[in-house]
Amino acid sequence: MYAIRKSSPVVRAVPRFDAKGLLSGLSFILAAGLCTTAPAIAADPGVTKDTITIGVFGPRTGPANIYRLIDEGAIAVYNEANAAGGIHGRKLKVVYEDDGCDPTKTRAAVKKLIYQDQVFLIHGGNCTSGVLAVKDEIVENKVPYMVMGATSRKIAAPVNPYIFTTVGLGDFVGQAMVEFGNSVPNVKKAVIVRHPDEWAEDFTKAVLAKASPAAPTVIEVTRNITDATTQVLQLKNMGADLVYVVLYLPESSVFFRDALKYGLKPVFVTTSTTTDFPDLAKRSGGEAAIANVFAVSALKAPFGTEAVKKDSDIFIRNFPNEPTMSFSLMGMSGAYAVVEGLKRAGPNLTRESYIKALETVNGVPAGPAACNIKFSPTQHEGCRDMTVWTSVGGKPTDIGRTWRKKN
Amino acid sequence: MDTLTLVVAGLANGSLYALVALGLVLIYKTQDVVNFAHGEVLMIGAFIGYTVFQILGWPYPVALIVAVIACGAMGALIERAAFRPLAEQHHITLAMLTLGLSFTLKGAARLPFGADIYTFPPIFGDTSSIVIGTAVIAPQNLVIIGVAVLLSLALFVFFKAATLGKQMRATQQNLMGAKLVGINTGRIHSGMWALAWATGGAAGVLAAPVALLYPDMGTDFLLKGFAAAVLGGFDSVPGAIVGALLIGVIEILFGGYVSTAFQHVSAFCIIIVVLFIRPHGLFGHKPTHRV
Amino acid sequence: MQKIQRWFAPVVLVLLLLAPLVTDRYIQYVINLVLVYAIVGIGLNLLLGYAGQFAFAHAALMGIGAYTAALLMFRLQVSFWIALPAAGIVATIIGSLGALPALRMKRVYLALVTLAFAELIQWILVHWKGLTFGTDGVRVAAPEFFGWSLKGDHRLSYLLLFMMLLFYVLAKRIVESKIGRSLVAIRENEIVAQCNGISIARTKGLVFALSAFYAGIGGALYALTLGFIVPESFHMFQLAIHFSIVVIGGLISMYGSLLGAIMLTMLPELLRGFQSLQEIIFGVLLSVFIVFMPAGLAGFGKRRGWLPDEILSRNWRSLPYRRDAGGGDRGASAPGEQSK
């Protein structure tokens, strides 16, 4: 039964040459290549008599797909601009490519936007690694680029003629975090709780640089944890009374839940990802879990509140079936900047005139963002103002930039 | 640092890994397939639990039962539709099919549930943790451990005593022999898948109040469950449970006393060492070759 | 028909060489990815298909290759033409070290050990910042070929095409040699193979090393194609793609891996228009392909007579994998399991 069979493939002779098979495979590639060839690039693509094509890329698939809300916020703003009659008689046409937040796919998406969709400008990118993988492509083609949601400073610094951002960058948020942390009285032990990824790196560096008491301990949290017992117990052991939390929303709620469970009650300073306080409270097991959370926010106010009512309504009008979170507002500042730049560039729109115009923007309101957009030829990071929120009676409340005792 | 607190939390995590590992072992023993979609079974169970408990407002035990039944039915259906026709294909092909299934289920779950990260409210409301000496124990952890133990016992009794269970074991051990004595092996395979998916669904509902609910939530559970099953010896049900509890406790002790950065990979390091010494896991059988 | 087939090969080859003249850079980038994935897929097919070893470390080894090349070029300014073979060699060495325990193991145990190895590599890539820059990633500059810069997707494609053909022919030679037959003999039945004078440890070690070499080279070329690498690129999703390429293309088929690479790279691009439905369609298509073409595209084409036969690559169905027939790698261990 177990002997080698006569017909066993081991001893079977087969014709040797099979390049035909190989080449018929290769011809597939070729056919696909030939079918979709695009014409050579014109002087300034993406602008016609009555349209301006804007390329947006972001995740619609994969684990990061919740960030699509950021892109949709921006698209909502563009739709509103069209509803208001367009810009100098031209309507904005948005082309949206999925990148799944995977650098390989991001590169394909951006190449498609540039070489096939022939966009005038690009507004996109919610994941730093993806954006860094396409930076050379964008710069080489001199496509004006507005960052959508990626928070790394490496994207826009040092100043690059084509890259602009209005995102609350990790550096600035980190600085605001440490500024706030330093104003908290009677701190003996500060600790940073972070993810081991590039997103958390910027915040951590900024906090480490200026923290007092100096040199906070760093504790790592692996992505997708469902249990933060070890981190919380270590914090308790150290006697931490100030904890900088640089975690994504899901992990933050696990962390705060376990902190509540094991009775860890220091001051928590967090990033903009945890500014949906009612939501965070619900996830973490009640108001008690987030009583000591202070979140640095790049937004003026939470979704739906009075201060951002207009933009919240814009989002709901354009995407009635989508959830409404802080994410829904985060892409809007960039879109407002783009619209402003296009308006200032006037009817004779070229990429050059648009960039020139964008660099004159100084102090334009950024929709729901807590800043006024300021660009200049040497400054392409347009939003530097942050504010700190904390939950008072279940409602997120703006308390400025320094520590204030809650009643 | 309180060791008892850590151990109880570790046992609770381990119990979840055990339920995942059980499902993997059951399918592997019958059909030689590593089910890479098993993380998604857990995810579906969790979302069914969420729908029943949170949206329909029925009690938690009902949610558990509904998820178990629904997942079991899905498992049987998928076995009949996709895996039975391919039963004689290469095991790598079959494993790939489960991978395709995993993509599909994740994609499907994203349509209704992709927009948010859902949370299951704590079942015990605001009941605070139980404090014993210096140890702090969360009630949900006790529920997880309790239900996992009950389910494992039920399975054990089922395989030892029930006729169907005996037929299932017979089919596992000798397919041809089972056919010869008149067992409907096709139905047995479906039953096995149903059982495996049902435990996966139960794991989902149990994990729901602890974990966060999103379409990719199963991936890490699958990895740990797989590791647990292999550590115990992939053909041994009790081995899988012991392996899972060991992994749960070891990784949390590593995280607590060594470094949280190393917590996730510590389990894998230990497994490499164990398998180096015992290539068939702690309780696996070294196959004897007959030529 | 015969005549057409004879002319087909050279014409297509010439067209492929000329393709970069007419494609835009998006299409060319996708073609380049196909070529890179074909190399990686061929390497994995040697291990997974021909040798039947259920190993999960391929994405990690690809990462090692990519990082070796990128870091040598970035940190030490080593020329790409030295970094490329170095990437293959480093991946081979680490892969072989990792394979040592694996030589004793089978199936799920092997799968898990290699998976654990991959997790460790991922952990090291993220945490050893002094060497790898951690999650910050590494930028990879385009190499020069005798003063001619290979910058841009079109120029790069010539290098990739050459490498793909080279490694295709190399793998084919190996499979046709004694090694290939030893591999299949071991896959079929280790004891019978041993009785026939085949050294199991040496042959398995060799195929692990060889497939690691392919992964390393593929990784270096992948780094070049992307221009920027991060550890995350070499994690589970990458591995899932590799497995899909080999199985969809066809286990135990050289051009199968190429067909698989085309499928798996093109399909997501073609599905772009479906937006958030892409994932579910991709998953369903993957499942449907496996259900209806369990022997992969290559096996399907061969059975219909569209594609030429290959050495050692008969339809799986005819192989002694049927459990109740008692043969194959399951059969070798099944009787023992009964005795417990």
Side-chain angles (χ1 to χ4, degrees), chain A residues 166-381:
Chain A
T166 60
V167 176
L169 298 178
D171 270 36
F172 304 143
V173 177
Q175 275 164 27
M177 284 170 78
V178 73
E179 191 183 311
F180 180 83
N182 288 346
S183 71
V184 178
N186 303 326
V187 173
K188 291 189 190 67
K189 178 72 190 164
V191 183
I192 303 172
V193 178
R194 64 165 291 195
H195 285 309
D197 69 354
E198 91 283 343
W199 172 79
E201 188 74 26
D202 282 5
F203 297 85
T204 311
K205 273 183 193 151
V207 172
L208 280 176
K210 290 194 183 149
S212 113
T217 318
V218 179
I219 291 183
E220 253 184 41
V221 174
T222 316
R223 295 291 321 278
N224 306 324
I225 49 155
T226 54
D227 179 277
T229 305
T230 53
Q231 286 85 358
V232 168
L233 290 187
Q234 282 198 359
L235 286 169
K236 271 192 92 171
N237 250 25
M238 290 174 192
D241 38 23
L242 173 64
V243 180
Y244 297 98
V245 184
V246 190
L247 303 176
Y248 295 112
L249 181 58
E251 289 85 353
S252 297
S253 27
V254 170
F255 177 75
F256 289 129
R257 181 196 71 200
D258 286 358
L260 176 70
K261 190 158 82 184
Y262 297 115
L264 176 72
K265 286 172 187 158
V267 170
F268 294 109
V269 183
T270 70
T271 69
S272 330
T273 49
T274 46
T275 44
D276 285 305
F277 284 125
D279 190 52
L280 185 68
K282 199 182 79 199
R283 291 168 197 281
S284 321
E287 198 54 36
I290 61 159
N292 288 326
V293 174
F294 295 83
V296 171
S297 172
L299 293 179
K300 263 186 229 161
F303 193 97
T305 52
E306 202 46 51
V308 292
K309 182 111 183 45
K310 185 182 133 241
D311 292 306
S312 305
D313 289 347
I314 287 178
F315 185 86
I316 294 171
R317 196 153 57 234
N318 284 282
F319 296 95
N321 299 322
E322 288 288 56
T324 50
M325 311 168 73
S326 301
F327 286 140
S328 315
L329 299 176
M330 280 180 185
M332 289 187 171
S333 59
Y336 281 118
V338 167
V339 169
E340 182 67 26
L342 291 173
K343 274 185 189 153
R344 289 185 183 209
N348 288 328
L349 184 64
T350 63
R351 281 176 173 170
E352 208 189 323
S353 72
Y354 163 74
I355 287 172
K356 280 241 166 68
L358 209 51
E359 283 173 343
T360 65
V361 172
N362 188 356
V364 171
C371 63
N372 285 330
I373 303 167
K374 287 179 193 141
F375 289 126
S376 76
T378 52
Q379 181 55 268
H380 284 188
E381 292 161 345

Side-chain angles (χ1 to χ4, degrees), chain B residues 110 120 172:
Chain B
R110 260 192 246 294
F120 215 84
Q172 280 173 356

Side-chain angles (χ1 to χ4, degrees), chain A residues 1-2 4-5 7-10 12 14-16 18 20-30 32-34 36-38 60-62 96-98 101-105 107-109 111-112 115-116 129 132-133 135-137 140 154 194 196-198 201 205 220, chain C residues 5 8-9 12 15-16 19 22 24-27 29 31 33-34 126-127 129 135-136 139 151 153 164-165 168 172-173 176 181 184 189 192 222 225-226 228 230 237 255 258-259 262 266 269 272 275 278-279 307-312 314 319-320 325-326 331 335:
Chain A
M1 201 166 184
Y2 294 98
I4 283 193
R5 290 146 197 243
S7 63
S8 161
V10 178
R12 193 163 168 266
V14 174
R16 282 193 48 193
D18 70 335
K20 274 175 285 183
L22 167 65
L23 289 172
S24 59
L26 289 177
S27 68
F28 262 109
I29 312 174
L30 192 67
L34 290 174
T36 35
T37 305
R60 303 223 63 178
T61 57
Y96 191 175
E97 297 292 351
D98 168 48
C101 266
D102 165 12
T104 318
K105 261 189 113 175
R107 216 164 149 84
K111 279 176 192 270
K112 186 153 192 284
Y115 300 112
Q116 293 211 331
S129 53
L132 288 178
K135 196 174 157 180
D136 60 335
E137 197 76 45
E140 194 183 315
K154 272 178 291 178
R194 64 165 291 195
D197 69 354
E198 91 283 343
E201 188 74 26
K205 273 183 193 151
E220 253 184 41
Chain C
Q5 279 194 351
F8 199 56
V12 170
L15 280 179
L16 197 63
V22 288
D24 69 41
R25 284 173 62 173
Y26 163 63
I27 298 290
Y29 169 73
I31 295 178
L33 276 183
V34 168
V126 170
H127 285 89
K129 294 203 175 98
T135 48
D136 284 354
R139 196 157 283 288
K151 198 165 160 50
D153 304 275
M164 203 280 287
L165 287 172
Y168 179 87
K172 207 161 123 50
R173 288 279 169 194
E176 284 166 2
R181 292 191 296 275
V184 177
N189 191 323
V192 173
Y222 177 80
T225 312
L226 239 71
F228 178 75
V230 286
F237 187 66
Y255 54 74
L258 181 61
L259 294 178
I262 294 169
M266 298 287 211
E269 294 302 324
R272 272 185 179 283
Q275 298 290 5
Q278 309 178 45
E279 226 171 350
L307 294 168
D309 213 350
E310 281 177 292
I311 191 161
L312 307 177
R314 293 188 34 213
L319 286 174

Side-chain angles (χ1 to χ4, degrees), chain B residues 15 31 37 47 68 81 90 130 137 165 260 265 269:
Chain B
S15 304
Q31 265 186 325
F47 274 118
V68 162
H90 193 250
I130 305 160
I137 294 162
T260 50
V265 282
C269 291

Side-chain angles (χ1 to χ4, degrees), chain C residues 19 40 46 48 64 79 105 123-124 184 190 204 239 251 283 288:
Chain C
V40 177
L46 288 175
L48 203 61
I64 290 173
S79 148
M105 288 165 208
W123 192 82
I124 291 169
V184 177
E190 289 197 1
K204 272 195 192 173
L239 186 73
L251 285 158
V288 165

Side-chain angles (χ1 to χ4, degrees), chain B residues 33-177:
Chain B
V33 185
V34 182
N35 181 13
F36 288 109
H38 208 71
E40 279 58 56
V41 180
L42 180 134
M43 179 267 291
I44 289 170
F47 274 118
I48 292 176
Y50 179 86
T51 313
V52 173
F53 184 75
Q54 188 74 345
I55 299 175
L56 300 181
W58 296 355
Y60 185 71
V62 177
L64 185 65
I65 292 165
V66 171
V68 162
I69 293 172
C71 285
M74 256 179 94
L77 202 72
I78 286 174
E79 192 278 335
R80 183 68 197 89
F83 286 87
R84 204 179 296 175
L86 297 181
E88 285 161 14
Q89 292 298 332
H90 193 250
H91 69 92
I92 294 171
T93 309
L94 292 180
M96 272 308 304
L97 183 54
T98 65
L99 198 65
L101 197 61
S102 150
F103 278 116
T104 315
L105 292 176
K106 265 191 264 189
R110 260 192 246 294
L111 295 182
F113 295 111
D116 203 348
I117 294 149
Y118 295 81
T119 10
F120 215 84
I123 311 160
F124 302 98
D126 284 334
T127 323
S128 49
S129 310
I130 305 160
V131 181
I132 306 170
T134 52
V136 183
I137 294 162
Q140 177 65 19
N141 285 356
L142 296 179
V143 173
I144 292 173
I145 298 172
V147 176
V149 169
L150 279 179
L151 270 176
S152 312
L153 281 179
L155 274 179
F156 183 77
V157 173
F158 171 74
F159 278 119
K160 278 281 180 249
T163 317
L164 186 61
K166 285 181 188 165
Q167 288 182 347
M168 281 179 170
R169 277 198 301 153
T171 312
Q172 280 173 356
Q173 288 176 5
N174 193 329
L175 183 62
M176 189 68 97

Side-chain angles (χ1 to χ4, degrees), chain B residues 210-286:
Chain B
V210 183
L212 294 149
L213 278 66
Y214 54 102
D216 298 271
M217 69 182 282
T219 317
D220 274 32
F221 283 106
L222 173 73
L223 264 183
K224 295 284 166 60
F226 188 30
V230 171
L231 181 64
F234 220 103
D235 55 359
S236 157
V237 170
I241 295 170
V242 174
L245 296 179
L246 272 178
I247 286 188
V249 173
I250 287 172
E251 73 172 6
I252 213 160
L253 289 179
F254 246 99
Y257 289 108
V258 185
S259 155
T260 50
F262 206 60
Q263 186 170 341
H264 172 70
V265 282
S266 62
F268 293 108
C269 291
I270 284 162
I271 284 163
I272 291 181
V273 175
V274 169
L275 289 186
F276 201 67
I277 301 162
R278 288 186 62 90
H280 300 280
L282 291 174
F283 300 93
H285 299 264
K286 183 175 169 29

